[in-house]
């Protein structure tokens, strides 16, 4: 044999690294520099065996065997082959199925037959373990006993390509936005006619509020329009508006229809049912803002740019929800040309134009953010995607610093 092969159990490698660095085996706790990791594996294998590398096999699992972002990045690297098993539900947890080989970096005792078979064919098996968080073994004893050589990849080696994920940047702490602060700081609206000024706290039942004349309260209560010959209150004793009942709405709708008929006006109506039958109400036009007239990223992207975007997504974009939003916004603002035209977005912040928002979420779905969630992007991921979008826009579009807080 004149070459060596590295077989990696990704579940063991990433889980053990997360346990050591974060105290939690969840792979989401760590960020991996895959280029640095592959280079380190190759260097270590060639140094220990004294043979050149033939290939690194990366064994992992994915829902329905669909490649995740990290798999797409790995399989385009030189001398790397990705083999995917299925990720399925069993007893309330996700388990790997079909991740099969005698792996060099693994802790799974089920792989013992594969290791024994390789040895029978003249293969010298080097088994690598990751340093355990508790200092103990994190591999099967039978597997350790069958290996020809065993080495431990220590914390220093692991930290060369693994780091703790910065969750603060993914889900920034909620804070008051500047536009909301302006609303809160605005002076109170003028009181309704007939009331002397700002109303104090709600009084005891049956008594008028302190500082409000009883006559003024009585006037406010009796100011409503008559329905069925009976006066209706326009406000409560403390000046708050009354929520109309279905009967009130039916009366108002009938009045509006009569007026429209007198003017020979026609148009679409909405209907709702009641004890009087179908009641027709004028339809409300959907709100349209200036941002809805902006082009989408797809409209601004050429075929050549689309190919380059796909290449960047595969090789450079990590798939973090916040990062995905930033990448999308960077491309959109760059291709929009004159960024001054995008200042129309700020009055509607944090609303993203409907077409652009749909395109943003479809783009995010490419990175596996739909996985394990019944094809729905998790609420926290949606928040992070949009937060990344606005943060990138704030850095590129004039006026963004007035509405977006940099957490």
């Amino acid at each position: 044999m004149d070459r060596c092969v590295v077989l990696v159990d990704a579940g063991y490698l990433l889980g053990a690294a997360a346990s050591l660095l974060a105290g939690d085996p969840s792979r989401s706790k760590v960020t991996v520099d895959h280029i640095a990791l592959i280079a380190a594996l190759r260097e270590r294998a060639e140094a220990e065996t004294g043979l050149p590398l033939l290939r690194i096999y990366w064994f992992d699992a994915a829902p329905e065997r669909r490649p995740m972002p990290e798999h797409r990045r790995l399989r385009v690297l030189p001398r790397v082959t990705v083999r995917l098993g299925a990720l399925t539900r069993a007893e309330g947890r996700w388990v790997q199925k079909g991740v099969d080989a005698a792996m060099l970096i693994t802790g799974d005792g089920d792989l013992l037959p594969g290791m024994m078979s390789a040895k029978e064919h003249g293969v010298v098996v080097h088994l690598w373990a990751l340093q355990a968080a508790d200092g103990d073994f994190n591999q099967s004893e039978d597997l350790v006993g069958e290996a020809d050589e065993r080495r431990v990849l220590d914390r220093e080696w692991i930290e060369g390509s693994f780091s703790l994920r910065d969750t603060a940047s993914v889900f920034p702490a909620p804070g008051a936005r500047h536009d909301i602060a302006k609303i809160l700081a605005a002076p109170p609206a003028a009181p309704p006619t007939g009331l002397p000024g700002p109303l104090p706290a709600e009084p005891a039942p049956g008594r008028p509020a302190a500082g409000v004349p009883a006559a003024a309260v009585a006037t406010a209560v009796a100011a409503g329009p008559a329905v069925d010959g009976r006066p209706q209150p326009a406000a409560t004793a403390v000046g708050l508006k009354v929520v109309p009942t279905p009967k009130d709405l039916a009366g108002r709708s009938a009045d509006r229809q009569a007026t429209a008929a007198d003017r020979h006006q026609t148009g679409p109506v909405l209907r709702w049912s009641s004890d009087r039958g179908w009641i027709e109400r004028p339809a409300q036009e959907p709100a349209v803002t200036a941002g809805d007239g902006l082009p989408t990223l797809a409209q601004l992207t050429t075929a050549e740019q689309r190919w380059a975007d796909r290449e960047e997504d595969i090789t450079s974009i990590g798939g973090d929800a916040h990062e995905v939003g930033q990448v999308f916004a960077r491309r959109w603002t760059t291709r929009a040309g004159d960024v001054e035209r995008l200042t129309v977005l700020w009055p509607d912040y944090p609303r993203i134009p409907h077409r652009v928002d749909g395109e943003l979420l479809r783009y995010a779905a490419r990175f596996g953010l739909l996985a394990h969630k019944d094809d729905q992007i998790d609420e926290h991921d949606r928040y992070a995607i949009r937060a990344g979008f606005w943060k990138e826009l704030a850095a590129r579009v004039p006026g963004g610093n007035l509405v977006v807080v940099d957490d």
Side-chain angles (χ1 to χ4, degrees), residues 163-186:
S163 60
L164 288 174
R165 184 180 296 276
D166 183 7
T167 55
S169 64
V170 179
F171 306 117
R177 303 296 185 188
H178 290 291
D179 52 342
I180 298 177
K182 290 179 181 178
I183 295 173
L184 297 177

Side-chain angles (χ1 to χ4, degrees), residues 203-270:
R207 300 186 61 184
V212 180
V217 175
T219 301
V221 172
V227 176
D228 295 337
R230 293 176 295 176
Q232 300 296 311
T236 64
V238 294
L240 300 177
K241 66 180 180 181
V242 173
V243 177
T245 65
K247 184 178 290 186
D248 297 335
L249 293 175
R252 296 177 192 177
S253 177
D255 292 340
R256 285 195 297 269
Q257 292 176 50
T259 302
D262 292 340
R263 297 177 181 174
H264 306 286
Q265 296 176 346
T266 60
V269 295
L270 295 177

